[in-house]
């Protein structure tokens, strides 16, 4: 008879009065024990594990590289970025990394003050001091040039033939000064020009306003609605005040006669610092002699250095 059980118990007499159970293992029970022994992974499974680990390492390396590239664009050195990444967790967020970079830069900056005679070294991407904010990438100050304040409404309406608020005129004016090397440029425009155009107040290329605002060149003067009526602040006063306080130049075809009578200091300033212009189709053209034939050239007019008539004396070609 075939036995299906894993083992057979044999009863044998012991001392004629007791019986003893003896377990005899069969081949079937040995096979079950053999199946309990763990077998090594197959080559295919080992290869899959190895490939998965390589993919994870590659992905982590790509993420690390992306972080380094992001902060390199912000102006930090490669060594500083790697040092901060090593000090933080591998899954550290961008804000945490940036905060640590800023702290490190300020710490190094203040440590340079221990020796007043040593040259002041400022890590790249860090402001020279906490009281002097670092200008944006588009607003780096250009040495030797005066600040420029543009009457946005005057320039845009002039380019639009007094009928349309042409934002392209603002872009043309800004580009002219930018190509000259000036970077401290401010354009004043009333806030309500951000609203949807209306038939009685048409506006073209409105996206240029958003682009100039993003570059921190355009500034909106306040306006609000009260009982359905728009209350607009006098933007001319903003223009003249900023140009006067910054010792800059006003770009406008407006003489600001009301403001000249309001403040005697402003009167003299407007007479000496007003830069008029014209548009020849899509070409912005200020005069070569802003203060007349006997005055400074446009290049001298834009410079901070004082201009004197002695600088314009020319040698007689027949002398």
């Amino acid at each position: 008879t075939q036995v299906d059980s894993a083992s057979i118990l044999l009863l044998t007499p012991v001392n004629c009065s007791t019986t003893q159970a003896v377990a005899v293992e069969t081949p079937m029970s040995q096979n079950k024990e053999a199946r309990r022994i763990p077998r090594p992974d197959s080559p295919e499974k080992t290869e899959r594990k190895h490939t998965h680990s390589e993919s994870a390492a590659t992905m982590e390396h790509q993420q690390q590289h992306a972080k380094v590239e992001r902060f390199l664009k912000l102006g930090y050195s490669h060594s500083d970025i790697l040092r901060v990444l090593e000090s933080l967790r591998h899954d550290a967020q961008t804000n945490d990394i940036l905060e640590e970079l800023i702290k490190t830069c300020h710490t190094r900056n203040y440590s340079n003050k221990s020796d007043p005679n040593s040259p002041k070294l400022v890590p790249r991407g860090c402001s020279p001091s906490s009281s002097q904010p670092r200008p944006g990438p588009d607003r780096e100050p250009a040495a030797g040039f005066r600040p420029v304040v543009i009457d946005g409404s005057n320039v845009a309406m002039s380019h639009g033939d007094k009928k349309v608020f042409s934002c392209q005129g603002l872009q043309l004016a800004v580009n002219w000064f930018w190509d000259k090397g000036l970077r401290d440029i401010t354009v004043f425009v009333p806030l309500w020009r951000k609203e949807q155009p209306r038939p009685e107040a048409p506006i073209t290329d409105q996206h240029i306003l958003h682009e100039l605002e993003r570059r921190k060149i355009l500034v909106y003067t306040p306006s609000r609605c009260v009982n359905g009526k728009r209350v607009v602040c006098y933007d001319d006063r903003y223009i003249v005040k900023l140009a006067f306080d910054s010792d800059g130049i006003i770009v406008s075809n407006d003489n600001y006669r009301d403001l000249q009578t309001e403040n005697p200091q402003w009167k003299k300033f407007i007479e000496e610092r007003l830069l008029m212009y014209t548009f020849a189709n899509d070409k912005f053209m200020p005069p070569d002699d802003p203060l007349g034939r006997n005055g400074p050239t446009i290049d001298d007019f834009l410079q901070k250095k004082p201009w004197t008539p002695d600088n314009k004396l020319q040698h007689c070609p027949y002398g």
Side-chain angles (χ1 to χ4, degrees), residues 155 158-159 169 172-177 180 251-253 275-290 298:
V155 173
S158 177
H159 187 259
L172 294 172
V174 170
N175 289 346
W176 188 90
F177 290 104
K180 283 281 187 180
V251 180
S252 178
N253 286 336
L275 179 62
M276 307 186 84
Y277 64 91
T278 189
F279 281 104
N281 294 324
D282 287 336
K283 185 175 182 180
F284 178 78
M285 299 181 65
D288 292 333
D289 49 355
I298 183 63

Side-chain angles (χ1 to χ4, degrees), residues 98-142:
L98 182 58
E99 182 180 359
E100 186 66 22
L101 283 170
I102 294 174
K103 288 180 180 179
T104 305
C105 289
H106 282 297
T107 302
R108 289 188 174 186
N109 181 33
Y110 295 142
S111 63
N112 291 332
K113 296 181 180 179
S114 57
D115 186 3
N117 297 324
S118 62
K120 185 176 181 180
L121 302 178
V122 180
R124 185 181 179 188
C126 303
S127 58
S129 65
S130 58
S131 61
Q132 298 178 356
R134 183 172 182 262
D138 286 345
R139 297 300 301 271
E140 292 289 347

Side-chain angles (χ1 to χ4, degrees), residues 39-304:
R39 296 180 180 179
D41 293 336
S42 62
E44 294 81 3
K45 189 173 182 180
T46 303
E47 185 177 355
R48 285 198 301 269
K49 288 183 178 180
H50 184 65
T51 304
H52 179 72
S53 60
E54 285 184 347
S55 301
T58 303
M59 184 177 299
E60 184 177 354
H61 177 72
Q62 291 176 349
Q63 293 175 352
Q64 186 88 344
H65 180 72
K67 291 178 181 179
V68 173
E69 289 294 328
R70 183 183 299 115
F71 291 107
L72 282 175
K73 293 179 181 179
L74 296 178
Y76 294 99
S77 66
H78 191 270
S79 59
D80 286 341
I81 297 172
L82 292 180
R83 175 178 45 77
V84 171
L85 290 176
E86 291 175 358
S87 64
L88 298 176
R89 307 185 312 274
H90 69 280
D91 58 344
Q93 300 298 319
T94 302
N95 290 340
D96 298 333
I97 301 173
L98 182 58
E99 182 180 359
E100 186 66 22
L101 283 170
I102 294 174
K103 288 180 180 179
T104 305
C105 289
H106 282 297
T107 302
R108 289 188 174 186
N109 181 33
Y110 295 142
S111 63
N112 291 332
K113 296 181 180 179
S114 57
D115 186 3
N117 297 324
S118 62
K120 185 176 181 180
L121 302 178
V122 180
R124 185 181 179 188
C126 303
S127 58
S129 65
S130 58
S131 61
Q132 298 178 356
R134 183 172 182 262
D138 286 345
R139 297 300 301 271
E140 292 289 347
F145 289 108
R146 298 184 186 277
V148 174
V149 182
I150 299 177
D151 187 341
S153 296
N154 186 273
V155 173
M157 293 301 296
S158 177
H159 187 259
D161 295 329
K162 309 297 182 183
K163 299 176 182 179
V164 179
F165 189 93
S166 174
C167 299
Q168 185 184 3
L170 301 178
Q171 185 69 71
L172 294 172
V174 170
N175 289 346
W176 188 90
F177 290 104
W178 196 273
D179 293 341
K180 283 281 187 180
L182 286 80
R183 294 296 181 266
D184 193 350
I185 306 171
T186 304
V187 181
F188 278 106
V189 171
L191 181 63
W192 63 273
R193 289 293 184 182
K194 294 179 67 174
E195 302 173 1
Q196 291 294 330
R198 301 186 307 277
E200 66 274 13
I203 180 173
T204 58
D205 299 315
Q206 198 171 17
H207 66 278
I208 294 178
L209 299 181
H210 306 305
E211 175 62 20
L212 293 177
E213 183 184 17
R214 183 190 66 81
R215 295 171 58 188
K216 300 187 184 303
I217 293 177
L218 186 139
V219 177
Y220 291 104
T221 57
S223 65
R224 60 194 177 100
C225 288
V226 179
N227 298 327
K229 295 182 179 181
R230 181 181 291 109
V231 178
V232 181
C233 297
Y234 193 26
D235 56 341
D236 287 355
R237 184 172 282 106
Y238 279 96
I239 295 166
V240 175
K241 180 175 175 57
L242 177 62
F244 179 80
D245 292 343
S246 61
D247 194 27
I249 297 169
I250 302 174
V251 180
S252 178
N253 286 336
D254 190 349
N255 290 315
Y256 305 104
R257 289 189 178 89
D258 55 337
L259 297 179
Q260 289 189 40
T261 58
E262 179 180 309
N263 189 328
Q265 291 181 331
W266 285 5
K267 181 179 185 301
K268 185 176 185 301
F269 178 80
I270 293 171
E271 291 174 352
E272 297 178 352
R273 297 291 179 83
L274 182 63
L275 179 62
M276 307 186 84
Y277 64 91
T278 189
F279 281 104
N281 294 324
D282 287 336
K283 185 175 182 180
F284 178 78
M285 299 181 65
D288 292 333
D289 49 355
L291 300 182
R293 295 179 60 184
N294 297 324
T297 64
I298 183 63
D299 292 332
D300 291 331
F301 187 75
L302 298 175
Q303 297 286 335
K304 288 182 179 180

Side-chain angles (χ1 to χ4, degrees), residues 301-317:
F301 187 75
L302 298 175
Q303 297 286 335
K304 288 182 179 180
K305 63 181 181 180
W307 177 87
T308 59
D310 295 338
N311 296 339
K312 300 299 293 180
L313 293 179
Q314 299 179 358
H315 295 288
C316 177

